[in-house]
């Protein structure tokens, strides 16, 4: 493929929380760069993932889920999502098809405000109806396609399953049409603009969500306090602080005799070890910072919403 036909650009992945944007991003990159959890609203920054082929380079912006913004933290997240759309050459709106199939009222309720705003942006768009592998019987998908066509007339609707890979090649072909002619924007072997420190903090946060499941409160954050590389020992020394807003939450995270925190640390260390390709010593601390989700300066210091 010649440089004159090469395409490159930015594609924003947006949608309600837990629609599968991060699962899709990890699937098309072939590497895990975005945290995946059954809990909604786990993505908090516009994570950039880069897919490079012989024909194009797609720079994906995986955004926080767009939802009713109550509280400063949630407003930060929603503003970050819409901010990513402003930078993009195209937008893919991800919807949980299993949630809305056969439930036109919920689709209308949740997405009518978003549909109106997207219509004013003037950015090419596709709608990915995700989790179609969970829609049974399949006739329910036809009704969902009709409901979405009414909300977004003329927009490409693509049934996909980010988990199984169904429909992803079709979606990627549509995305290519959104890209301008351009040489690659990043080196071909670069998968993300996120730093390894950021990815390490996200791994710790993911293990918190997965390990403590529904018991874990949403308002936790992770900050890498120190990072020291010891080349002679092929070792990276990492110290990270987990912030929560209540003493009761701290006890929940630490667990009886520290067992919960120990388990999170072990799982995170193993994955960070794979990320860095060397030995890792990981220390975790838990601190209570009351009201941090309303402290704008603190959230900026953590990189939230960026």
């Amino acid at each position: 493929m010649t440089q004159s036909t090469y395409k490159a650009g930015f594609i924003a992945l947006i949608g309600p929380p837990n629609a599968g944007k991060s699962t899709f991003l990890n699937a098309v990159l072939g590497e895990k760069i975005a945290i995946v959890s059954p809990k909604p609203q786990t993505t908090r920054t516009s994570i950039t993932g880069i897919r490079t082929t012989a024909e194009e380079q797609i720079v994906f912006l995986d955004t926080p889920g767009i939802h009713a913004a109550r509280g400063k933290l949630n407003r930060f997240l929603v503003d970050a999502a819409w901010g990513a759309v402003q930078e993009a050459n195209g937008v893919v709106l991800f919807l949980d098809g299993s949630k809305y199939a056969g439930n036109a009222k919920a689709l209308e309720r949740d997405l009518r405000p978003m549909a109106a705003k997207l219509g004013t942006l003037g950015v090419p768009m596709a709608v990915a109806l995700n989790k179609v592998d969970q829609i049974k019987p399949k006739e329910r998908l036809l009704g969902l396609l009709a409901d979405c066509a009414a909300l977004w007339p003329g927009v490409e609707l693509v049934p996909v399953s980010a988990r199984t890979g169904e429909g992803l090649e079709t979606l990627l072909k549509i995305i290519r049409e959104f890209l301008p002619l351009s040489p690659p924007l990043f080196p071909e072997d670069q998968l993300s603009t996120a730093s390894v420190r950021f990815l390490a903090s996200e791994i710790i946060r993911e293990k918190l969500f997965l390990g403590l499941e529904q018991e874990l409160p949403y308002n936790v954050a992770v900050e890498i306090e120190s990072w020291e590389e010891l080349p002679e020992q092929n070792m990276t020394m990492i110290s990270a602080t987990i912030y929560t807003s209540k003493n009761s939450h701290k006890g929940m995270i630490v667990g009886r005799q520290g067992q919960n925190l120990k388990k999170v640390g072990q799982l995170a260390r193993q994955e960070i070890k794979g990320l860095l390709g060397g030995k890792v010593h990981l220390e975790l601390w838990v601190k209570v910072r009351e009201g941090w989700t309303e402290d704008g300066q603190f959230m900026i210091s953590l990189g939230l919403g960026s």
Side-chain angles (χ1 to χ4, degrees):
M1 190 64 66
T2 65
Q3 283 296 108
S4 61
T5 59
Y6 200 88
K7 288 187 168 188
F10 293 86
I11 300 295
L13 307 177
I14 69 168
N18 216 23
K21 302 181 297 297
S22 297
T23 303
F24 166 79
L25 182 62
N26 292 339
V28 297
L29 295 183
E31 294 282 349
K32 179 180 172 183
I33 69 164
I35 159 179
V36 177
S37 162
K39 289 180 74 71
Q41 295 165 226
T42 45
T43 299
R44 289 183 176 168
T45 58
S46 297
I47 299 169
T48 304
I50 306 165
R51 175 186 165 92
T52 303
T53 70
E55 291 80 28
E56 75 266 338
Q57 185 177 79
I58 308 170
V59 185
F60 289 106
L61 305 173
D62 179 22
T63 66
I66 295 175
H67 56 287
R70 298 184 182 91
K72 187 167 285 188
L73 172 60
N74 286 331
R75 289 195 296 273
F76 258 61
L77 302 186
V78 172
D79 287 348
W82 287 117
V85 173
Q86 306 293 336
E87 302 172 16
N89 300 107
V91 172
V92 179
L93 172 61
F94 267 77
L95 303 179
D96 180 347
S98 66
K99 176 180 179 180
Y100 295 117
N103 197 345
K105 286 185 178 179
L107 182 72
E108 171 79 16
R109 179 193 68 228
D110 294 351
L111 298 169
R112 176 63 70 180
M114 193 184 300
K117 188 162 185 176
L118 284 169
T120 66
L121 295 175
V123 179
M125 187 179 89
V127 177
L129 302 173
N130 193 25
K131 306 184 185 181
V132 294
D133 54 309
Q134 299 177 27
I135 299 177
K136 295 175 183 177
K138 286 298 181 184
E139 288 74 19
R140 295 174 64 212
L141 177 59
L142 298 177
L144 177 60
L145 288 166
D147 293 337
C148 289
L151 277 174
W152 295 284
V155 171
E156 290 273 11
L157 307 174
V158 190
V160 302
S161 170
R163 187 179 66 86
T164 67
E166 180 181 348
L168 297 191
E169 285 302 321
T170 300
L171 182 57
L172 288 169
K173 287 178 183 177
I174 292 169
I175 288 171
R176 174 175 164 76
E177 297 304 311
F178 297 162
L179 302 176
L181 293 171
S182 168
L185 303 172
F186 296 92
E188 65 177 33
D189 59 349
Q190 186 170 344
L191 279 175
S192 178
T193 59
S195 69
V196 289
R197 292 190 185 205
F198 171 79
L199 294 175
S201 70
E202 286 291 273
I203 288 169
I204 296 166
R205 198 161 62 90
E206 179 188 60
K207 301 315 174 192
L208 282 164
F209 282 123
L210 296 178
L212 301 183
E213 298 179 341
Q214 298 304 315
E215 295 179 18
L216 182 71
Y218 172 59
N219 54 5
V220 293
V222 176
E223 181 178 29
I224 302 297
E225 296 278 4
S226 66
W227 183 289
E228 183 181 3
E229 296 179 3
L230 306 174
E232 291 183 2
Q233 302 174 32
N234 191 28
M235 170 78 77
T236 303
M237 308 285 290
I238 303 170
S239 177
T241 297
I242 300 165
Y243 288 100
T244 187
S245 59
K246 295 181 179 179
N247 271 310
S248 60
H249 295 167
K250 178 179 179 179
M252 192 184 302
I253 293 167
V254 173
R256 182 175 295 179
Q257 297 181 329
Q259 286 303 305
N260 288 349
L261 190 63
K262 182 179 179 181
K263 181 180 177 183
V264 167
Q266 288 172 338
L267 293 172
R269 184 178 60 81
Q270 283 299 114
E271 191 161 328
I272 295 170
K273 180 180 175 183
L275 174 70
L276 301 179
K279 293 181 285 187
V280 171
H281 177 79
L282 176 63
E283 289 187 345
L284 297 180
W285 307 91
V286 183
K287 293 182 181 179
V288 177
R289 187 179 176 111
E290 293 184 5
W292 76 261
T293 58
E294 297 298 316
D295 185 340
Q297 287 301 116
F298 180 66
M299 287 189 283
I300 290 170
S301 75
L302 293 175
L304 298 184
S306 58

